[in-house]
Amino acid sequence: MNIELAEYDPAWPGLYERERVRVLAALPGAVLEHVGSTSVPGLCAKPLIDLMLVVDDPLDEASYVPALEAAGYRVAVREDDWHEHRVLKGPDTNVNLHVFPRGCAQVRRHLLFRDWLRGNAGDRELYASTKRALAARPWDRVQDYVDAKNAVVLEILERAYLACPVEPGEVEFVTETPPHNAPVVLRDHDPAWARWYAGEEAKIRAALGEQVVRVEHVGSTSVPGLAAKPLIDILLVVPDSADEDAYVPALVAAGYHLRLRERTWHEHRVLKGTAPDVNLHVFSPRCEELDRMLAFRDRLRAHPEDREKYERTKRELAGRTWGRVQDYADAKTRVVERIILRALG
């Protein structure tokens, strides 16, 4: 199979605009973006217009598919186990309409890659030259060509994520002073950590009942074989993390205390437990950080090479002197982002 690339065509934005009008007529107010190589001026591409549609729940096809079918689209791909992704084909133009849920990390990934290539000529040319070299080879499947580009895509995305981080914003400490100087002490993985988490999960579910949308063991103690600080990180999803009255009093009664609020960063809350040492991270549903945290954990569980690389990084950094524990956490950012990007790919 040959991959046919075309030089950038100034007509491509017009084709996107035509599809945008068609989609918005079917779904007024929809969140829609032009993504993929045809969205980057000056970049060679397969002449295929990629659109990204963000909906509340891609699994609820009745909320958007019939309207799109009436406009001439048809569902071509369903990937329930990969971000609930759907692909619809356009009626009269070579179009892939990608559907993702609100809060999915893939949404920012696509937009950041597009915007980075638009603004960075060096990486745009690197990507173009890679595509041309790979397109010159024969491929059994188009997906094999796509997979072969992945190393360069990840290289570019890593630069983009590190240059354009999501700033957490101001942290409001409720019951403790801000992080202070403390040694970083790592321990070899302890099977007891899973039992500690199970006890905390039972306590949380008993306290909150139906307020629990999801609860997960995350962080390094959730990954068998990985060295960690003996601190149990728990991800708790509630209907509205900003509505503290709906969950904080019950958790306080269960032995936790509210430590901090980050109102401008996903309305994140952290509650502390002390026996064992617990950080309980509270988010609302459809939040990008949920996707990232779970993707990172699952990648480390399933890929020993990433787990070993992350542990080497942690041990090397833990051997240094840090003014704050948070500085140690920040120093891991590069390797963490690289692993998350591989997980999301």
Side-chain angles (χ1 to χ4, degrees):
M1 175 181 292
N2 295 322
I3 303 298
E4 296 184 4
L5 296 179
E7 293 305 313
Y8 180 78
D9 188 338
W12 289 339
L15 293 177
Y16 161 73
E17 181 61 24
R18 186 176 70 182
E19 296 306 310
R20 187 186 74 85
V21 169
R22 192 185 335 240
V23 171
L24 292 181
L27 300 170
V31 177
L32 191 70
E33 295 279 354
H34 189 188
V35 294
S37 292
T38 60
S39 70
V40 180
L43 182 61
C44 59
K46 301 189 300 295
L48 166 67
I49 308 300
D50 284 296
L51 295 85
M52 181 172 65
L53 174 66
V54 181
V55 301
D56 288 332
D57 183 3
L59 299 179
D60 181 15
E61 293 188 5
S63 67
Y64 64 96
V65 168
L68 290 171
E69 286 178 334
Y73 286 87
R74 59 179 176 82
V75 177
V77 175
R78 292 183 175 94
E79 295 182 283
D80 290 358
D81 57 353
W82 189 72
H83 308 283
E84 302 168 3
H85 178 229
R86 300 291 190 268
V87 178
L88 290 87
K89 295 297 294 184
D92 51 26
T93 302
N94 193 6
V95 167
N96 278 346
L97 176 60
H98 301 270
V99 184
F100 288 107
R102 200 176 312 280
C104 174
Q106 285 293 331
V107 174
R108 181 167 182 256
R109 185 183 191 274
H110 280 286
L111 296 177
L112 187 59
F113 189 62
R114 177 198 69 186
D115 294 346
W116 184 261
L117 291 180
R118 285 176 173 177
N120 289 266
D123 275 340
R124 186 168 62 247
E125 181 52 38
L126 171 63
Y127 188 44
S129 62
T130 300
K131 285 165 50 131
R132 289 190 181 101
L134 292 173
R137 305 179 191 175
W139 299 94
D140 292 333
R141 302 177 307 152
V142 173
Q143 187 59 45
D144 296 332
Y145 160 77
V146 173
D147 292 342
K149 295 187 300 180
N150 201 43
V152 167
V153 170
L154 291 176
E155 176 188 337
I156 294 170
L157 275 168
E158 182 182 338
R159 284 193 284 273
Y161 270 85
L162 292 174
C164 310
V166 175
E167 297 296 339
E170 184 176 351
V171 179
E172 176 188 349
F173 288 90
V174 180
T175 55
E176 295 184 11
T177 57
H180 54 280
N181 184 23
V184 176
V185 178
L186 298 179
R187 295 185 184 174
D188 290 337
H189 184 83
D190 188 340
W193 292 339
R195 297 193 295 273
W196 293 359
Y197 164 74
E200 297 303 304
E201 179 184 353
K203 184 192 304 184
I204 292 164
R205 290 190 180 277
L208 296 183
E210 293 183 356
Q211 279 291 313
V212 175
V213 176
R214 186 172 188 175
V215 60
E216 297 275 357
H217 190 187
V218 294
S220 292
T221 60
S222 71
V223 180
L226 180 62
K229 303 188 299 295
L231 165 68
I232 306 301
D233 282 293
I234 299 175
L235 173 63
L236 171 63
V237 184
V238 297
D240 181 1
S241 59
D243 182 10
E244 294 180 9
D245 290 342
Y247 64 93
V248 169
L251 289 173
V252 169
Y256 297 94
H257 62 272
L258 181 62
R259 182 189 178 204
L260 63 84
R261 300 181 181 97
E262 293 182 277
R263 297 186 187 275
T264 60
W265 189 67
H266 310 294
E267 288 287 1
H268 176 226
R269 304 294 190 270
V270 174
L271 289 90
K272 286 292 296 183
T274 55
D277 193 6
V278 170
N279 277 348
L280 178 56
H281 302 271
V282 186
F283 293 99
S284 300
R286 298 300 183 190
C287 166
E288 179 186 352
E289 195 59 23
L290 307 181
D291 212 5
R292 287 167 51 82
M293 291 172 75
L294 293 171
F296 183 63
R297 179 199 68 185
D298 293 347
R299 177 80 187 189
L300 292 179
R301 284 177 172 177
H303 291 81
E305 67 280 6
D306 282 335
R307 184 168 64 246
E308 291 161 7
K309 181 178 180 63
Y310 185 48
E311 178 162 326
R312 287 196 302 272
T313 300
K314 284 163 51 112
R315 289 191 183 280
E316 191 276 324
L317 292 173
R320 304 182 191 177
T321 301
W322 300 96
R324 303 179 308 154
V325 174
Q326 186 60 42
D327 296 333
Y328 158 77
D330 292 344
K332 297 185 296 180
T333 296
R334 189 178 192 91
V335 68
V336 168
E337 287 293 352
R338 187 179 298 127
I339 292 170
I340 291 175
L341 286 170
R342 282 199 287 272
L344 294 175

